[in-house]
Amino acid sequence: MSIRNLAVPGLLAIAIAITGFVACSSEREASAPSQTRVADPSDVIDEQLMVSLAQAKNFHRKAKVYMSDGNLAAATASVRQILSLRFPAGAPEAEDVRLDARALLAKLLVSQGQVEEAMRTVQEGLAQSQRESFFVANLHTVQGEIHEARAAQLDGEGEPSKAKAIEERRAAIAAYDHSIQINEKLQKQLMEDR
Amino acid sequence: MATHDNDFLTGPVPEPEAEATSAERAYAKTFADVVDKTLSGRAPAAMSADDRALIEVATVIRAANGTMELAPSKQRSIIEDALRQAVGTGASTSGSVTPIARGRAKRWVPWTVAAMSTLVAAAAILLLWLRVPTTTVVQAPQAAAVPTSWTSRPADPLIGPIAREHAGDASSRIDYLFADRLDGFRERRLSGGKP
């Protein structure tokens, strides 16, 4: 058989081999992990969330003991530790627990005369919140209390600070109104959901 | 040594220098006539089996020498067919000569098949190369069936609006929240994670 006669079946064999190779490689690509994925189910309560909640609970208990003992500084430090707890990514409880810890922390700071630090704590919490909740509303309530505390301080400074005190009281009313608005909105939503 | 007319093939072999007998000469002459007639197409209708075998051998020897020719009528037919095909008129009557054009076409058939196969292969490669992989999202059936109490979710429905006098009562709220989530967690664990 001459070379010319061998060329035809050879060419056919190469063509079939290339087709087969490509078909096989495409099947391999199809089974790659990027092709088919399972949708994430709703996040269920897992061990990590329970551990984080248990730690927050313990820090609150510790702070309560310190407060009953009159050690506000230690109580403040205990509550601060709640803010650095690690929760499962995306767990809605994390934001609620942190906002509630900030509310208590701000109140502890106000009781220790650290009004500006308390206001910073509240403002950071409001800035970090990603949804409206009763805990956000509560933080607005605490913000109103801080404004009231500021107004009381300004009252003590005499006549020159009277205008600023009035301004703080107006800010307190605005914060309380904001808190009421959020509460009403959420309550309405909950009623509709039921 | 007794001899008979038809015992040449089965009888004893004569000596190399022995003189042919008159009977042998007569038989040789008769057989030569039969051979001549057979080669000219006038074979006798009946002959002995030995004679027929010898005639066949003689025919084969003659054909091997290359002296056999086609009949004049057959020769004429083939030449006329070839000339007719060369000038492109009419079909072959004998069927023994392949037309030049058909011969060329036959030569290109395997190449055409090979080229078509290669084109198909190239098209398949291009198609598979350019094809955009589709992403199929498979919805897990248990996702919708998981009870709400098992899921991580906002604490608003559980806690409700927080009164001003309880603004700093975070300790009791975390206790309540922890207890509720622990219930869901235990429920899920005890049921093996299935609703």
Side-chain angles (χ1 to χ4, degrees), chain A residues 105-172:
Chain A
L105 182 60
K107 285 179 82 73
L108 283 168
L109 289 169
V110 169
S111 64
Q112 293 169 83
Q114 299 175 36
V115 178
E116 297 311 313
E117 178 65 17
M119 184 57 88
R120 263 198 302 278
T121 301
V122 169
Q123 285 173 340
E124 282 172 7
L126 292 174
Q128 289 171 12
S129 66
Q130 304 204 340
R131 60 185 165 81
E132 287 187 332
S133 66
F134 291 127
F135 299 92
V136 172
N138 185 47
L139 211 51
H140 281 292
T141 302
V142 174
Q143 191 180 35
E145 291 178 357
I146 295 169
H147 282 299
E148 279 193 273
R150 274 181 176 172
Q153 276 183 346
L154 290 168
D155 283 340
E157 289 175 7
E159 197 63 28
S161 301
K162 199 171 182 180
K164 283 186 180 178
I166 293 169
E167 203 173 301
E168 286 295 335
R169 286 196 176 86
R170 283 179 183 161

Side-chain angles (χ1 to χ4, degrees), chain A residues 39-99:
Chain A
D40 290 333
S42 298
D43 290 330
V44 292
I45 300 164
D46 56 7
E47 286 90 347
Q48 197 187 343
L49 178 63
M50 292 313 300
V51 167
S52 303
L53 289 173
Q55 285 178 316
K57 185 172 174 268
N58 286 340
F59 282 126
H60 273 298
R61 182 66 53 83
K62 202 172 152 186
K64 201 172 182 179
V65 173
Y66 279 128
M67 281 188 277
S68 63
D69 203 29
N71 191 348
L72 296 181
T76 305
S78 185
V79 175
R80 275 192 197 279
Q81 285 182 287
I82 296 169
L83 300 180
S84 56
L85 284 176
R86 289 179 69 86
F87 280 82
E93 288 92 341
E95 184 175 313
D96 295 342
V97 168
R98 287 179 187 137
L99 288 174

Side-chain angles (χ1 to χ4, degrees), chain A residues 8 12 18-19 22 35 37 39 43-45 47 57 92-93 96 100 104 131 133-134 138 145 148 176 187, chain B residues 110 117 121 125 128 133 135-136 138 149-153 155-156 160-161 164 167-168 173 175 181 185 188-189:
Chain A
V8 176
L12 272 171
I18 289 170
T19 312
V22 172
Q35 302 304 307
R37 60 184 172 80
D43 290 330
V44 292
I45 300 164
E47 286 90 347
K57 185 172 174 268
E93 288 92 341
D96 295 342
D100 218 11
L104 176 60
R131 60 185 165 81
S133 66
F134 291 127
N138 185 47
E145 291 178 357
E148 279 193 273
Y176 293 140
Q187 279 181 298
Chain B
S117 303
I125 291 167
L128 293 169
T135 303
T136 308
V138 180
S149 59
W150 295 10
T151 59
S152 173
R153 59 198 187 279
D156 293 314
R164 189 179 168 183
R173 285 192 287 273
D175 286 348
R181 297 300 186 262
F185 179 70
R188 179 176 150 250
R189 289 292 293 269

Side-chain angles (χ1 to χ4, degrees), chain A residues 11-12 15-16 19, chain B residues 112-122:
Chain A
L11 211 59
L12 272 171
I16 292 164
T19 312
Chain B
T112 310
V113 170
M116 291 300 288
S117 303
T118 310
L119 275 174
V120 169

